[in-house]
Every structure is written in C-alpha cells, then in structure tokens.
Amino acid sequence: MPSLLSRTIEATQALLFPWVFLALSASCLPGTILRLIREGRFATLFYPRALRDAWFTDFWGRIAGPGIRRDAAVRVIPLLQGRVDGGRVVERQVSRGIGGTVIEVGVGSGMWVDVYREVADISSEGESEVRRRNVGKGGDDGNASKGVITRVYGVEPNEGHHAALQKNIAKAGLEDVYRIVPVGIEDLDNPEKWDGKVEKGSVDCIVSILCLCSIPDPEKNIRELYSYLKKGGRWYAYEHVRVEYSWYMKAYQRYLNLFWPHFIGGCTLCRQTEKTIREAGSWEDINIGQPPDEFWYKTVPHRLGIFTK
Ligand SMILES: C[S@@+](CC[C@H](N)C(=O)[O-])C[C@H]1O[C@@H](n2cnc3c(N)ncnc32)[C@H](O)[C@@H]1O
C-alpha cells in the first residue's frame, strides 16, 4: 500500500504534468519557425492553421508521439488483438482482433503502423510464414474473420506527417496494403479532395487512437465514420475524454482546455467521445471503459474498448 506521501507526490505530479506537456510543445515552436524559414516556406508562417500543423508535426513526431507510443503500447496492442474488457487489458481474447479492410483515423506519422504486423502475428500461430500471410494477402470476405488485414486506409490530413508515415509503412513492409488518405475524415467521401474511394458499409474495422479529440464536428463525422462499417464490423477506440468524476477536476480540465488546443494541434480535452460513438448508430455490442489504473487526478482520462456494429 503506497504511503500518503507517495500518493500525494504522485497526484501532484499528475496534476502538473499537463502544464509540462504544454511547455514542451511551446519549446518546439522556435525550432519549427526556423525550419520553415530554412525550407523557404514563408507563407506557412503567416497562415495560422498551416503553422499550427507544422508545429504539431514537430512536437508529435519528435517529442510527444514516441513517448506516448511507448507508454500506450500495453493498451493499444491488446486492444487491436481484442484483449480488452471493460477498459481493462486481459489475457484471453474477448473480441475479434482487427482484420479485413481497416480505416485508421488520424494516423499522424504512423506510430502504430508496425502494430498491424504484431496483431496479425497473434491472430495466427505466430510463425513468421503465417505472419506474412496474415497481412496483405487475399481479399475475400473470409479473410477478415481469419485476422488477415487486406487493406489499411490511414486517414491523415496533415501533410507534414506524410513523409514519416510513408517511412513507417515501408519499415513495416506494408506498402502493398497501406494507403495514405491525405484528407480529413470529413472529406473521405469527397472525390474532389482525394483520388480514392471507400464504399460505405464495406469496412471491417475502424481504429481511432487519440485522434477524435482533434477532428472537426465530432458528432457528424463520427456518425459518418459509423456508416463505413459493415454489419459486424468493429471500432477499436483508445481516446481521451472529458473528466466526469468530480466538480473540481471538471473545472480544472476546462481551465486547461482554454490553452490546450492552441498548443497541441487543435486537440480538445473536454469531448465525450465514448458517448458520441455510442450514439453514432446502433451497436450489437459495446465493450469499453476507463483503464483501471487511471485515478481521480488524471486530467486526461481515457476510454479503451471495442464497439461491434
Ligand atoms: C494526437 S494526433 C494522434 C496521431 C496518432 N493517432 C498517434 O497516436 O500517434 C491526432 C491526429 O489527428 C489528425 N487529425 C486532425 N484532424 C483530422 C481529421 N479531420 N480527420 C482525420 N484526422 C485528423 C491530426 O492531424 C493528428 O495527426
């Protein structure tokens, strides 16, 4: 049992951490400005949205993303393997793992691309030959139920991430399988914005990892995403959400949110993303919750789980 002192220190650190995160992001801005000047991209400096994207690319790609990737792997990998129950990571598989046609929303620089390999691995017997079979081969409907990933659409509107994303796709050997969709999800169905098409009702899995906080008009766009899932399709979500448990933490999170979106690429803290996905349409099964190791002082609480259509 941790002592009162150690719990107080832990809570204080957790309450202060978001400010450290903002300061780290702020410290990135001068470097981004210098980079844009070096690259001769002067117009970007005077276009707030473009500057914000360039800044966020540097902050997420170099500073925040790798640390979050390392710490969140213990949740995200089991999630994609179907090993989460009520927000808790479990040993046994309680839902189907990802397979078939996948849309990953807001992929950033592709921190999680390599996980498709790992997940395919567990869906099989773990042999490298089987692993190779499990990503990218086939194309019929039966493959999805065998955990074979046939196509991944990585939706990412911030072009600043694309070079790193392409590198991560190549590193994972997924060039044949992975397609970058260079628009926001609001334009997924817009032929004027990109030259591909994803049919509604054709997608086996949607993956959203820490991104629905950043999309515009979440109710409308999450409903839109829902329409891409086929019957029986799954939505794997690891998202941070609005604090629900005490008035002072709610007030603290709201206060923090006055600054947060400006420093963290438009990310919003106070969204009820679980509720929004729940209400996007009818679901056959919902298995989601808050990870049990997140205590009252967590300013950025998460939801981890799977919705089955
Ligand atoms: C916090 S980052 C997370 C990136 C990635 N999922 C990860 O875990 O490393 C949020 C991402 O959502 C993307 N995003 C913003 N607006 C979006 C939109 N309308 N549609 C899809 N993605 C969007 C951002 O460009 C950014 O890369």
Side-chain angles (χ1 to χ4, degrees):
M1 179 78 176
S3 68
L4 178 63
L5 178 67
S6 70
R7 274 184 291 150
T8 308
I9 292 173
E10 194 181 313
T12 309
Q13 283 174 340
L15 289 169
L16 293 178
F17 177 74
W19 300 104
V20 176
F21 201 68
L22 293 182
L24 281 173
S25 178
S27 71
C28 233
L29 183 58
T32 301
I33 292 171
L34 285 177
R35 172 172 72 80
L36 293 172
I37 293 170
R38 256 197 331 268
E39 292 170 2
R41 292 168 55 195
F42 301 107
T44 305
L45 294 170
F46 300 100
Y47 180 43
R49 176 65 203 259
L51 177 60
R52 190 189 78 180
D53 280 354
W55 175 15
F56 185 71
T57 303
D58 289 344
F59 174 57
W60 196 261
R62 289 210 312 266
I63 297 178
I68 289 176
R69 166 70 177 78
R70 192 184 54 239
D71 296 344
V74 291
R75 292 175 179 169
V76 171
I77 294 172
L79 170 72
L80 301 185
Q81 292 168 336
R83 292 194 299 109
V84 296
D85 195 6
R88 189 181 288 270
V89 171
V90 293
E91 279 301 312
R92 67 188 195 294
Q93 195 169 12
V94 289
S95 307
R96 283 165 57 190
I98 55 165
T101 302
V102 178
I103 292 181
E104 185 182 340
V105 191
V107 290
S109 54
M111 299 276 174
W112 300 100
V113 168
D114 61 313
V115 171
Y116 292 110
R117 285 267 169 220
E118 285 189 48
V119 171
D121 212 358
I122 199 191
S123 309
S124 68
E125 294 82 46
E127 296 296 324
S128 58
E129 182 52 34
V130 181
R131 184 183 339 152
R132 246 178 281 128
R133 254 197 296 125
N134 263 3
V135 182
K137 295 283 162 60
D140 61 45
D141 223 35
N143 282 331
S145 59
K146 292 181 222 143
V148 179
I149 297 168
T150 49
R151 166 65 77 199
V152 182
Y153 292 101
V155 180
E156 180 47 65
N158 180 351
E159 285 181 10
H161 286 306
H162 290 178
L165 175 56
Q166 198 65 61
K167 233 189 236 167
N168 283 326
I169 294 167
K171 211 161 125 198
L174 294 180
E175 294 101 322
D176 296 343
V177 179
Y178 201 106
R179 166 130 202 223
I180 299 175
V181 179
V183 295
I185 54 167
E186 62 279 15
D187 289 319
L188 200 53
D189 199 24
N190 184 346
E192 283 165 23
K193 295 286 175 116
W194 73 295
D195 61 356
K197 179 147 184 74
V198 186
E199 294 294 339
K200 296 212 168 154
S202 73
V203 169
D204 297 285
C205 298
I206 290 175
V207 175
S208 68
I209 303 169
L210 305 174
C211 64
L212 300 179
C213 49
S214 302
I215 64 169
D217 204 346
E219 280 78 17
K220 176 171 174 280
N221 286 316
I222 288 174
R223 224 179 305 120
E224 180 75 3
L225 268 173
Y226 173 90
S227 71
Y228 283 90
L229 270 184
K230 59 169 74 158
K231 182 96 184 96
R234 279 101 55 212
W235 186 319
Y236 300 79
Y238 179 57
E239 294 289 346
H240 65 78
V241 293
R242 196 174 86 171
V243 164
E244 300 290 353
Y245 22 86
S246 61
W247 68 266
Y248 45 89
M249 284 303 295
K250 279 185 199 167
Y252 185 50
Q253 191 192 48
R254 284 216 182 129
Y255 178 64
L256 195 57
N257 197 49
L258 295 175
F259 310 96
W260 194 267
H262 305 293
F263 286 78
I264 315 291
C267 165
T268 306
L269 286 178
C270 304
R271 285 196 176 164
Q272 294 179 290
T273 300
E274 177 192 336
K275 180 171 178 282
T276 312
I277 304 178
R278 276 181 186 274
E279 292 173 357
S282 68
W283 298 102
E284 188 185 288
D285 186 58
I286 298 176
N287 187 339
I288 193 160
Q290 183 173 12
D293 53 350
E294 293 192 345
F295 300 113
W296 65 266
Y297 43 72
K298 190 83 183 162
T299 330
V300 188
H302 295 90
R303 291 293 181 276
L304 178 71
I306 302 170
F307 297 76
T308 305
K309 186 167 175 178

